[in-house]
Amino acid sequence: MYQWRKFEFFEEKYGGKIPEDVTGEIQCCSSGRGKVVIGSSDGSVSFLDRGIKFDSGFQAHSSSVLFLQHLKQRNFLVTVGEDEQISSQQSGMCLKVFDLDKAQEESTSSSAPECIGILRIFTNQFPEAKITSFLVLEEVPPILLIAIGLDNGCVYCVKGDIARERITRFKLQVDGVSDKRQTPITGLGFRLDGLSLLLFAVTPDSVNSFAMQAQPPRLQTLDHIGSSVNTVTMSDRSELIVGRPEAVYFYEVDGRGPCWAFEGEKKFMGWFRGYLLCVIADPKTGTNVFNVYDLRNRLIAYSLVVDKISNMLCEWGNVILITADKSLLCVAEKDMESKLDMLFKKNLYTVAINLVQSQHADASATANVMRKYGDHLYGKQDYDEAMSQYINTIGYLEPSFVIQKFLDAQRIYNLTNYLEKLHEKGLASKDHTTLLLNCYTKLKDVEKLNTFIRKEDGIGELKFDVETAIRVCRAANYHEHAMYVAKKAGKHEWYLKILLEDLGNYDEALQYISSLEPSQAGVTIKEYGKILIEHKPKEAIDILMRLCTEQGTSNGVYLSMLPSPVDFINVFVQHPHSLMDFLERYAEIVKDSPAQAEINNTLLELYLSKDLNFPSISLSENGVDQNFTDQSVAAAMSKTGSGKKKIADSNDTIEKDCVERQQKGLELLKLGWPSDQEQPLYDVDLAIILCEMNSFKEGLLYLYEKMKLYKEVIACYMQNHDHEGLIACCKKLGDSGKGGDPSLWADLLKYFGEIGEDCTKEVKEVLTYIERDDILPPIIVLQTLAKNPCLTLSVVKDYIARKLEQESKIIEEDRRAVEKYQETTKNMRKEIEDLRTNARIFQLSKCTACTFTLDIPAVHFMCMHSFHQRCLGDNETECPECASEYRSVVEMKRSLEQNSKDQALFFQQVKSSKDGFSVIAEYFGKGIISKTSD
């Protein structure tokens, strides 16, 4: 063991003489709760603070304090000492328990802690013997378990609440009673393991244990070698440590454990923060050496020559040594940084690593030590070992620090190893993935590349940046690897990108898309549909049909969940025929799509468009490269006679296709606007614009007619000078009996009046309908037709004659009506005058209401009706017989007066009437507007 390295991991903090306030010889010491407790031969107990200054003291026993222990859980002090004997037969050895939180007032100025329990150790059942060891175990408060070791091999145990004198006393025997040789108990130790409690008892010749949970406690001898006093201690893992001259032994529950051959007589032993403390007598020099052993790292952390030691204890994070001459020395452990600096200076990096790991330093500190070790090895050009250390720093050391070193040294194999470990721990960035894959490709190490990419085949997620790996493999022409990563990670866009752009494998791309979920397939089609439509239009359209109609029903809610064909229109750019095919197929299957209007709008644009880019498509189908421009193709074909023929055939084909598409467009316009719907299943304004842009007359006439824009309909015929169609259209749309607009005939007459050519036949036919429906006054007809110099009076001669005859009849009827109204007015004025000037004689003899003979009191009205007063209601002022007629006249008058104020109604009647002047005359005749008011 002398080959173990020695280090100065500890240092002397302070030392000196114990204060003079501590009287008598020091018999025992204890630590805990921030103070050092000293028991003296004069029975006093003294407390020292952190500065080794006297804090307080009191007289615990009258003679001597042999043992004491300061408890951890409660601020109790348990002492064993000699007091005055009560009798010669009874020993003065007592056990006392002091409550240090309670002070007992005495006659002196100082105060002593309250003694809460006194126990005589030796009784008739427990014979007196010399006490050699002492130990207290705190159980559940207020229970204490006290073990007292004697020189006769017995252990007296006291368990219970000493303050309340509720205790149990029992005796444990280590050696047999028949053994005449004295075997003192040199050391005690408790081991609490769950519910089981073990008491170790050491003698000079044996190591024993008592299972305290058994009744009585069961004895087990662990070893037949023992030790002397002060050479027994317990580790922080509750292992019993026994020091003998040849070695130090560790004991577990079932027997001896590891053994450390530290030669020399052990004077004192202890345990401190994982270190073994030993005061050993050096036989060569005859001095005592205080050694601190780091057993895990196999080194001596500190070594110091000391005087004769009387006590050793630990407090304040220090090891305290008390010598026989009442001197005290504090030894403290250095901080981790100081210890590591010491090791770094000696290049003892392995020891440094073991040290930080054994003392459970944080991971960053361990990584820092390994980094320094790696730097050291790198400086020695031991790159492999250096990299093994750098790998251990992953997660704490910036990877760029390591990568830069090995890029400079061109150590690509080591760099590859580091990057692999970086990916295994899931700490690699995109750049790290790029670098690793570049290393593989540079080394041409396909096997490692396969391992890196496929090592987790079917297990969890890939531990690298997927897109970066795909890019690198693709750039290095490792397409299979890139496709594998893309497929494994579900990067369908990348998988298809490689298939289509790099490999040109369109069939496999279509199969892959078909295998995807509908939502994923839709996304990929939007991304790469243009390429597929260009090279595999039929198959691509089949996939789109499955996406948009697969398992489709007429349920509108379900259809709304499927992709809409409108979403894929952009993939058909420069391929309108394929788009038309796709939309037609969809419309045949799905009749009530939520996007029906958008679909119809797109189809109308395709049907009605004249420049559908058809030539390039047709030529490509005949084997001509689409990349040629129309001009170059035409020039090439015009060099031969067959070329001219092909151009002519192509023009005929284009014309035929245009006509067919327009017929489809007209059919769509009609089917998309059923007669029972007010609005069509397409955008009417867009449809009109398309028809006008492409000069599609049939569609335009249909739309105008459906929208009841009759004037626009006849305007179309007028533009084409289609007189026959114009008159036929007016016959259809100008019949008011069928909801038509008769004013169309007036527009037609105006057209013929301004046309400037002979249209006698057409004018006569128009005048027939104008006369029939009395659309225009004759004067307007004459003024309109007079503008056409090509028309003669004979055109309107018969019409004027009939109208004059008709007007004459109307004038005669009006004259007779005027005479009748004048006669009626004359009679009314005469009657009014008579009522004003002459008396009225009432000759009725019967009541008009009850028809009984009229008697007094009676009431007579000017209308010549008479009533009994009793037949009339109270306050009746109107004739009951004539009241309703009178009220209707009054109401009519009020209504007329009210209408005179409603100008909008007046002008509306004038506008809607065939003869507006008659409406004005009627208003004057009824006296509505014949008078003015302020």
Side-chain angles (χ1 to χ4, degrees):
M1 290 302 175
Y2 288 107
Q3 296 178 357
W4 281 17
R5 290 193 178 97
K6 291 185 179 181
F7 298 95
E8 296 293 327
F9 288 167
F10 286 73
E11 60 184 348
E12 298 181 23
K13 280 289 186 180
Y14 45 80
K17 289 290 186 178
I18 294 177
E20 295 180 356
D21 298 292
V22 179
T23 59
E25 294 181 3
I26 298 176
Q27 297 290 326
C28 54
C29 295
S30 180
S31 62
R33 305 182 73 91
K35 293 181 181 180
V36 172
V37 188
I38 298 176
S40 302
S41 58
D42 59 359
S44 64
V45 173
S46 302
F47 295 89
L48 303 182
D49 60 15
R50 193 181 185 92
I52 316 300
K53 295 181 180 180
F54 181 79
D55 179 81
S56 61
F58 67 96
Q59 191 70 30
H61 297 271
S62 60
S63 179
S64 177
V65 180
L66 300 180
F67 298 93
L68 57 79
Q69 184 173 336
H70 195 180
L71 305 186
K72 305 289 186 183
Q73 297 180 16
R74 289 168 289 174
N75 197 13
F76 285 3
L77 179 66
V78 183
T79 65
V80 174
E82 295 183 12
D83 284 314
E84 296 179 356
Q85 290 183 337
I86 299 176
S87 64
S88 58
Q89 289 88 8
Q90 193 170 10
S91 172
M93 194 66 65
C94 293
L95 183 145
K96 294 183 179 181
V97 180
F98 296 92
D99 188 346
L100 301 181
D101 291 330
K102 296 180 181 179
Q104 180 178 357
E105 296 296 335
E106 295 181 353
S107 58
T108 60
S109 58
S110 62
S111 60
E114 181 181 351
C115 181
I116 61 174
I118 301 176
L119 181 67
R120 294 287 178 178
I121 295 177
F122 301 117
T123 62
N124 293 333
Q125 289 81 15
F126 297 90
E128 183 176 357
K130 182 181 179 181
I131 300 176
T132 55
S133 57
F134 171 77
L135 189 60
V136 180
L137 174 66
E138 297 180 82
E139 294 190 354
V140 180
I143 305 301
L144 297 177
L145 177 57
I146 302 172
I148 302 172
L150 306 176
D151 65 349
N152 58 5
C154 291
V155 179
Y156 290 171
C157 296
V158 179
K159 183 176 182 180
D161 185 359
I162 298 177
R164 298 183 181 181
E165 297 183 355
R166 297 177 180 175
I167 61 174
T168 301
R169 300 179 64 162
F170 55 92
K171 180 172 58 175
L172 303 176
Q173 183 68 45
V174 174
D175 295 321
V177 179
S178 61
D179 193 351
K180 296 180 181 180
R181 186 166 55 89
Q182 294 290 328
T183 55
I185 303 297
T186 56
L188 296 170
F190 284 110
R191 179 189 176 102
L192 186 61
D193 189 6
L195 298 177
S196 63
L197 176 62
L198 205 66
L199 173 62
F200 291 107
V202 181
T203 69
D205 301 323
S206 64
V207 177
N208 309 275
S209 67
F210 292 92
M212 303 300 287
Q213 70 274 14
Q215 292 298 328
R218 185 175 61 256
L219 171 65
Q220 180 183 1
T221 300
L222 303 178
D223 203 349
H224 291 285
I225 57 173
S227 68
S228 59
V229 179
N230 296 326
T231 59
V232 177
T233 189
M234 297 291 292
S235 72
D236 50 12
R237 294 190 300 173
S238 297
E239 298 169 304
L240 179 68
I241 305 174
V242 177
R244 291 184 57 81
E246 72 279 3
V248 174
Y249 301 91
F250 282 69
Y251 291 89
E252 294 283 350
V253 177
D254 52 353
R256 185 195 295 180
C259 169
W260 302 91
F262 302 137
E263 296 182 357
E265 183 183 357
K266 312 304 184 292
K267 298 294 186 179
F268 273 91
M269 289 185 58
W271 188 266
F272 174 72
R273 294 181 178 177
Y275 293 103
L276 176 64
L277 310 178
C278 288
V279 177
I280 303 176
D282 189 349
K284 296 180 181 180
T285 61
T287 59
N288 293 329
V289 180
F290 170 64
N291 286 337
V292 180
Y293 295 99
D294 185 347
L295 302 180
R296 178 176 297 180
N297 297 313
R298 297 176 179 270
L299 58 86
I300 300 175
Y302 186 67
S303 182
L304 177 67
V305 177
V306 295
D307 295 332
K308 184 178 180 181
I309 301 298
S310 62
N311 288 278
M312 181 171 65
L313 63 155
C314 302
E315 184 62 36
W316 311 309
N318 301 331
V319 179
I320 301 173
L321 302 175
I322 300 177
T323 62
D325 60 355
K326 299 182 70 172
S327 294
L328 184 144
L329 176 64
C330 288
V331 178
E333 185 178 9
K334 294 180 180 179
D335 59 84
M336 180 62 72
E337 186 177 355
S338 300
K339 292 189 286 187
L340 292 177
D341 288 340
M342 186 186 309
L343 294 172
F344 293 155
K345 290 177 181 178
K346 298 179 180 181
N347 293 330
L348 297 175
Y349 294 98
T350 305
V351 178
I353 293 172
N354 294 335
L355 181 65
V356 294
Q357 290 177 344
S358 65
Q359 297 197 0
H360 306 291
D362 59 86
S364 60
T366 305
N368 185 48
V369 176
M370 292 180 175
R371 181 190 66 81
K372 289 181 179 292
Y373 190 25
D375 293 344
H376 173 71
L377 294 171
Y378 184 87
K380 295 171 62 177
Q381 297 185 355
D382 190 352
Y383 299 115
D384 294 337
E385 285 299 322
M387 178 53 73
S388 65
Q389 296 303 319
Y390 287 134
I391 287 173
N392 293 327
T393 66
I394 292 177
Y396 304 96
L397 179 62
E398 177 60 37
S400 60
F401 174 82
V402 180
I403 293 171
Q404 188 63 42
K405 279 179 172 291
F406 285 85
L407 281 176
D408 295 342
Q410 296 297 309
R411 302 291 299 177
I412 191 170
Y413 291 100
N414 297 120
L415 179 60
T416 303
N417 186 23
Y418 180 80
L419 292 170
E420 287 173 346
K421 298 298 182 182
L422 204 61
H423 281 80
E424 286 179 5
K425 296 186 178 182
L427 299 174
S429 66
K430 296 179 180 179
D431 295 333
H432 299 148
T433 302
T434 303
L435 186 57
L436 177 59
L437 292 173
N438 283 330
C439 289
Y440 287 150
T441 56
K442 187 173 182 180
L443 294 171
K444 304 297 183 181
D445 195 341
V446 179
E447 183 179 352
K448 275 200 170 184
L449 183 61
N450 288 334
T451 303
F452 177 75
I453 289 177
R454 303 174 185 269
K455 63 183 174 182
E456 297 181 8
D457 195 3
I459 304 175
E461 298 182 355
L462 299 171
K463 291 186 177 180
F464 51 82
D465 185 75
V466 173
E467 292 192 6
T468 302
I470 294 173
R471 287 194 192 96
V472 175
C473 291
R474 188 183 178 203
N477 292 326
Y478 286 93
H479 295 119
E480 291 185 4
H481 296 82
M483 289 170 59
Y484 173 83
V485 174
K487 190 173 184 179
K488 178 80 172 8
K491 298 290 183 180
H492 311 299
E493 297 85 357
W494 279 103
Y495 189 87
L496 291 170
K497 194 178 188 72
I498 298 169
L499 277 176
L500 297 174
E501 297 181 5
D502 298 338
L503 303 178
N505 195 337
Y506 306 109
D507 293 328
E508 185 178 347
L510 289 167
Q511 292 177 2
Y512 184 76
I513 293 174
S514 300
S515 67
L516 297 177
E517 293 291 329
S519 59
Q520 297 173 340
V523 173
T524 54
I525 280 288
K526 290 178 183 178
E527 182 73 20
Y528 301 103
K530 294 178 183 178
I531 300 177
L532 294 173
I533 291 295
E534 181 179 355
H535 296 88
K536 295 287 182 178
K538 182 179 181 302
E539 293 81 357
I541 291 175
D542 290 340
I543 292 177
L544 286 174
M545 288 298 298
R546 286 197 297 271
L547 284 176
C548 298
T549 63
E550 191 81 5
Q551 299 178 353
T553 64
S554 60
N555 190 333
V557 177
Y558 182 79
L559 285 173
S560 64
M561 298 171 62
L562 293 175
S564 172
V566 180
D567 299 336
F568 303 101
I569 288 179
N570 63 320
V571 306
F572 292 93
V573 174
Q574 299 180 355
H575 300 87
H577 272 90
S578 297
L579 175 59
M580 188 165 58
D581 180 31
F582 169 55
L583 294 179
E584 285 176 348
R585 289 176 59 183
Y586 179 83
E588 288 178 3
I589 297 175
V590 182
K591 303 298 184 181
D592 52 354
S593 171
Q596 193 65 47
E598 291 85 348
I599 295 172
N600 289 341
N601 291 338
T602 307
L603 282 174
L604 282 175
E605 188 171 356
L606 294 170
Y607 289 154
L608 304 182
S609 175
K610 290 184 177 180
D611 51 348
L612 196 59
N613 197 24
F614 184 80
S616 62
I617 297 177
S618 63
L619 293 175
S620 67
E621 292 174 351
N622 292 327
V624 180
D625 190 353
Q626 285 186 342
N627 293 326
F628 286 173
T629 62
D630 292 341
Q631 291 84 357
S632 62
V633 174
M637 297 177 65
S638 63
K639 293 181 179 179
T640 62
S642 61
K644 295 180 179 179
K645 183 178 180 180
K646 288 183 179 179
I647 292 176
D649 294 341
S650 176
N651 290 334
D652 294 340
T653 305
I654 293 173
E655 185 65 26
K656 182 179 179 181
D657 177 75
C658 183
V659 173
E660 290 178 355
R661 285 188 287 106
Q662 286 185 345
Q663 291 302 316
K664 288 182 179 181
L666 182 60
E667 184 180 356
L668 178 59
L669 289 174
K670 294 179 179 179
L671 293 176
W673 199 340
S675 58
D676 57 343
Q677 292 184 4
E678 294 184 2
Q679 296 296 328
L681 296 176
Y682 49 81
D683 188 341
V684 178
D685 297 333
L686 175 63
I688 291 175
I689 293 173
L690 291 173
C691 291
E692 288 182 346
M693 288 176 58
N694 297 281
S695 303
F696 184 43
K697 177 183 174 183
E698 290 85 349
L700 201 60
L701 292 175
Y702 175 78
L703 291 172
Y704 284 153
E705 185 176 340
K706 288 292 291 185
M707 298 172 68
K708 297 186 178 181
L709 299 175
Y710 301 141
K711 293 185 182 296
E712 282 74 6
V713 175
I714 64 173
C716 291
Y717 287 103
M718 290 176 181
Q719 291 176 359
N720 297 325
H721 299 285
D722 185 1
H723 297 172
E724 210 173 302
L726 192 58
I727 293 175
C729 178
C730 285
K731 288 180 181 179
K732 178 182 178 182
L733 305 178
D735 190 351
S736 60
K738 296 180 180 180
D741 184 5
S743 66
L744 296 178
W745 293 108
D747 296 335
L748 187 56
L749 185 68
K750 182 179 178 182
Y751 166 74
F752 286 129
E754 296 176 351
I755 195 174
E757 63 183 47
D758 187 9
C759 50
T760 302
K761 179 182 176 182
E762 289 84 355
V763 170
K764 286 184 177 180
E765 189 173 0
V766 171
L767 289 176
T768 302
Y769 289 97
I770 291 177
E771 181 183 1
R772 185 192 70 180
D773 296 334
D774 195 17
I775 297 171
L776 292 174
I779 186 65
I780 301 298
V781 172
L782 291 175
Q783 290 175 350
T784 301
L785 295 177
K787 297 177 181 179
N788 189 342
C790 298
L791 295 178
T792 62
L793 186 61
S794 61
V795 177
V796 295
K797 179 180 177 181
D798 296 339
Y799 167 75
I800 293 298
R802 288 192 300 272
K803 291 300 290 186
L804 289 175
E805 182 182 357
Q806 184 180 359
E807 291 293 335
S808 298
K809 291 180 181 179
I810 293 174
I811 291 172
E812 182 62 26
E813 290 176 358
D814 290 342
R815 186 185 62 77
R816 288 195 295 269
V818 168
E819 291 177 352
K820 180 181 177 181
Y821 289 146
Q822 288 177 344
E823 183 67 23
T824 303
T825 303
K826 183 178 178 181
N827 293 334
M828 285 184 180
R829 287 176 176 172
K830 183 178 178 181
E831 183 178 358
I832 292 170
E833 184 64 23
D834 184 51
L835 289 173
R836 288 178 178 176
T837 57
N838 300 325
R840 303 286 286 183
I841 299 174
F842 300 99
Q843 297 180 348
L844 287 177
S845 60
K846 292 184 178 180
C847 175
T848 304
C850 63
T851 69
F852 289 105
T853 303
L854 192 66
D855 55 8
I856 299 173
V859 178
H860 304 279
F861 291 94
M862 297 300 287
C863 59
M864 303 307 292
H865 292 140
S866 300
F867 299 89
H868 292 114
Q869 189 175 11
R870 64 177 177 272
C871 291
L872 296 174
D874 295 339
N875 300 321
E876 190 71 47
T877 60
E878 295 179 348
C879 174
E881 291 292 322
C882 303
S884 58
E885 183 179 355
Y886 174 71
R887 289 195 191 96
S888 65
V889 173
V890 172
E891 185 64 30
M892 185 182 299
K893 181 180 178 181
R894 185 183 299 111
S895 176
L896 292 174
E897 292 176 351
Q898 184 68 27
N899 290 340
S900 67
K901 302 176 183 179
D902 191 353
Q903 299 180 7
L905 178 62
F906 169 72
F907 287 108
Q908 181 180 358
Q909 291 178 354
V910 172
K911 186 176 181 180
S912 61
S913 175
K914 295 180 181 179
D915 187 3
F917 182 77
S918 63
V919 176
I920 298 174
E922 182 181 2
Y923 267 70
F924 274 102
K926 293 180 179 179
I928 297 177
I929 57 175
S930 61
K931 61 181 180 179
T932 60
S933 60
D934 295 336

